[in-house]
Amino acid sequence: MQTKTNNIFEKIKWPLIGGIIATISAILVLLGNPANMGFCTACFLRDTTGALGLHNAAQVQYARPEIIGIILGAFIISLAKKEFAPKGGSAPITRFILGFAVMIGALIFLGCPLRMVLRIAGGDLNAIVGLFGFIAGIIGGCFFLKKGYTLKRTYNISKTDGFILPIAAISLLAVLLIAPSILFLSTTGPGSMHAPIIIALVAGLIIGIIGFASRLCFVAGIRDSILFKNFSMLGAFIAIIIVGIILNVALGKFALGFEGQPIAHTDGLWNFLGMALVGLGSTLLGGCPFRQLVLAGGGNSDSIIAVFGMITGAAFAHNFQMASSAAGVTGHGQIGLTIAFAIVILIAIFNTFGKKKTTGGTP
Amino acid sequence: MKTIDAYGISCPEPLIMLKNALTHEKEILLLLDSKCAIENCTAYARKKGYTVKITTDDNDKDKYKIHITVTK
C-alpha cells in the first residue's frame, strides 16, 4: 500500500509542483508583481542588486522578498532534511563567470527560464522563441557534458560558510522591514510593482522549500530528457503552462501575440540568443538560476559564487546599458552577449578537451 | 569490477559516467556523496534492470558505495 501511494505520488509530483508554482505566481501578480513576473530569479536578483545600489537603473530597484524567501526556504528544509552540507571548491571563478554570463543572457531576453515559462503561460509568443533558444543552448551544453565536460570535484567545507548567505538574507529582510529608506527602491517601473512583503516572503519560502526538496530545475528537466530520456520533470513545466494559461484566462490577463507583451521585446534573434546563452551557461553550471539560488540557500558555496556572478552580471548589464527593455535590445547588449557567449564556449571547450579526464585527488 | 570514483562530482556527471560504463561493464562500484547523484544513479540502474546494493564508508557515513551488478 505504501509503495502504491508512493508510485501515485511520484506520478503526480511534478505536475503538482508546476500547478503550485503557477498558482503562487498568479497570486503574486494579482497582488502587485509585474505582469508575467510572479516569479523570476534573474529579474528579482537584478532588482535586489539595484536596491543595494550596485546598479542605478531607477526603474528596477527593489529588495525582492521572494529571493530572501527562496534562500531561507531552501536553508530551512536543508537543515530539516539533514542535507545542509556546505560544499565548495569546484572551479569557483569559472562558476562566477558562468553566473555572470547567464545573467547577461537572461536580461537580454528579459527573464530567467522560470519567467520564460510564465511568459508562455501569459500568451507571450516571444517567450516561445526564447524557449527554442534555451533548448538549443542546453543541447550545446549536453554535447560538452557527453564529451566529458567537468568543473571537477567539490569538497566539504566549514559549516559556518553555509550560514553566511541565509544570515545576509535575514539582514536584508530586516533592513527592508525596519529601514527601507536606506535602500534604493523604485518609485516607477517594474521595481515599484510588488506584492506585499509578507506574502512575497511566504511565497518565496514555499517555492524555496519545494525547490530544494524536489530539486526542480528548468535546465535539468530538458537536459535529462536529452541525456537520459528522463522526461518526468517536464511535467512541472507543462503544468505551469497549462495552469498558468487557465488562471491568466480566468483573471483576464491572457493575451496571445508578439506585440505589446508586458516587460518583453519582439526582437526574435536576440530573444533566441539570450536564452541560448542562459541554456548553455546554466547547463555548464549544473542548474538554472532558480536551482543555483536554491542550492545556495542549502549551503552550496559553488552555487553562492554563481549567484554572486549573477548579481555582478546584473549590475554590469544595467551600468553598461546591456539589459533590454520593452523598447528592445541595445547595441551594448548585442556586443555584451556576443562576448559572453564566446567566453562561455571557451570555458566549455577548456573544461572538456583542455585537460586529462581524470579528476583530481580523493577529497 | 570497475570502480567509478565520483566523490564530489555534481549531477548530472556521475550518471553520465555510470551510463557510459554500463555499456561495457557487468559490475560497477560507484562512489558517491551527493544525495542527488545517489538518487539519480540508483534509480537509473534499477530502471535498466540492474541489482543495486548501497553501503556507506566505514569511516565516513556521508560517503556511499553503490554496488551495481547485472541481475542474474
Side-chain angles (χ1 to χ4, degrees), chain A residues 218-241:
Chain A
F218 290 84
V219 164
I222 296 169
R223 178 197 70 201
D224 292 353
S225 303
I226 297 168
L227 286 178
F228 311 118
K229 310 267 181 293
N230 178 356
F231 303 97
S232 55
M233 211 186 280
L234 293 182
F237 311 169
I238 294 164
I240 293 177
I241 293 174

Side-chain angles (χ1 to χ4, degrees), chain A:
Chain A
M1 188 60 205
Q2 181 79 42
T3 26
K4 203 173 176 188
T5 338
N6 279 344
N7 282 341
I8 294 169
F9 178 72
E10 278 301 314
K11 282 221 169 74
I12 62 161
K13 180 176 97 174
W14 291 115
L16 186 68
I17 288 170
I20 292 171
I21 289 177
T23 309
I24 291 177
S25 301
I27 293 170
L28 289 172
V29 172
L30 206 60
L31 294 176
N33 274 17
N36 293 353
M37 207 192 279
F39 257 101
C40 173
T41 314
C43 317
F44 289 179
L45 275 175
R46 181 270 318 274
D47 292 348
T48 307
T49 306
L52 297 170
L54 299 173
H55 71 67
N56 49 19
Q59 299 210 323
V60 284
Q61 296 175 314
Y62 180 55
R64 293 277 174 191
E66 291 90 340
I67 294 288
I68 296 168
I70 291 172
I71 291 170
L72 295 179
F75 175 63
I76 292 165
I77 189 74
S78 71
L79 286 175
K81 289 187 74 180
K82 300 201 189 333
E83 287 185 29
F84 180 75
K87 288 178 179 204
S90 161
I93 304 303
T94 303
R95 288 180 189 273
F96 182 91
I97 299 295
L98 288 172
F100 187 110
V102 164
M103 184 57 94
I104 300 291
L107 292 180
I108 289 200
F109 165 73
L110 291 173
C112 72
L114 173 51
R115 182 173 189 241
M116 175 186 76
V117 177
L118 291 172
R119 279 173 60 176
I120 293 172
D124 181 347
L125 297 177
N126 300 298
I128 304 258
V129 179
L131 175 63
F132 284 121
F134 186 53
I135 294 171
I138 294 174
I139 291 172
C142 288
F143 166 80
F144 289 108
L145 278 170
K146 276 192 208 165
K147 294 276 178 198
Y149 168 87
T150 178
L151 291 180
K152 294 200 170 178
R153 293 179 203 276
T154 176
Y155 302 90
N156 289 333
I157 54 174
S158 150
K159 283 253 179 204
T160 6
D161 204 86
F163 289 115
I164 292 172
L165 190 67
I167 291 171
I170 292 170
S171 309
L172 182 60
L173 179 64
V175 172
L176 181 67
L177 289 170
I178 300 163
S181 61
I182 68 168
L183 295 170
F184 297 81
L185 301 175
S186 299
T187 49
T188 59
S192 69
M193 303 163 74
H194 50 81
I197 293 174
I198 184 71
I199 292 171
L201 180 68
V202 171
L205 283 169
I206 295 172
I207 295 199
I209 289 170
I210 293 176
F212 189 90
S214 70
R215 306 202 180 93
L216 174 70
C217 170
F218 290 84
V219 164
I222 296 169
R223 178 197 70 201
D224 292 353
S225 303
I226 297 168
L227 286 178
F228 311 118
K229 310 267 181 293
N230 178 356
F231 303 97
S232 55
M233 211 186 280
L234 293 182
F237 311 169
I238 294 164
I240 293 177
I241 293 174
I242 293 174
V243 176
I245 288 175
I246 293 169
L247 291 171
N248 279 322
V249 169
L251 298 169
K253 290 183 186 294
F254 185 82
L256 192 68
F258 285 98
E259 302 287 336
Q261 293 291 345
I263 318 174
H265 62 79
T266 56
D267 195 325
L269 174 66
W270 295 94
N271 277 330
F272 182 93
L273 290 175
M275 281 317 281
L277 180 57
V278 173
L280 176 61
S282 298
T283 307
L284 299 179
L285 272 174
C288 69
F290 171 72
R291 177 77 181 141
Q292 296 301 326
L293 191 64
V294 166
L295 284 171
N300 186 321
S301 79
D302 288 335
S303 292
I304 297 174
I305 301 271
V307 170
F308 286 170
M310 286 186 233
I311 289 172
T312 314
F316 272 64
H318 284 282
N319 287 340
F320 298 97
Q321 287 83 44
M322 290 188 282
S324 303
S325 66
V329 182
T330 67
H332 287 192
Q334 298 179 3
I335 296 168
L337 186 99
T338 309
I339 295 171
F341 231 122
I343 292 171
V344 169
I345 289 171
L346 284 176
I347 286 175
I349 291 172
F350 281 123
N351 289 289
T352 306
F353 307 107
K355 47 185 125 181
K356 282 191 177 169
K357 273 195 69 182
T358 44
T359 40
T362 43

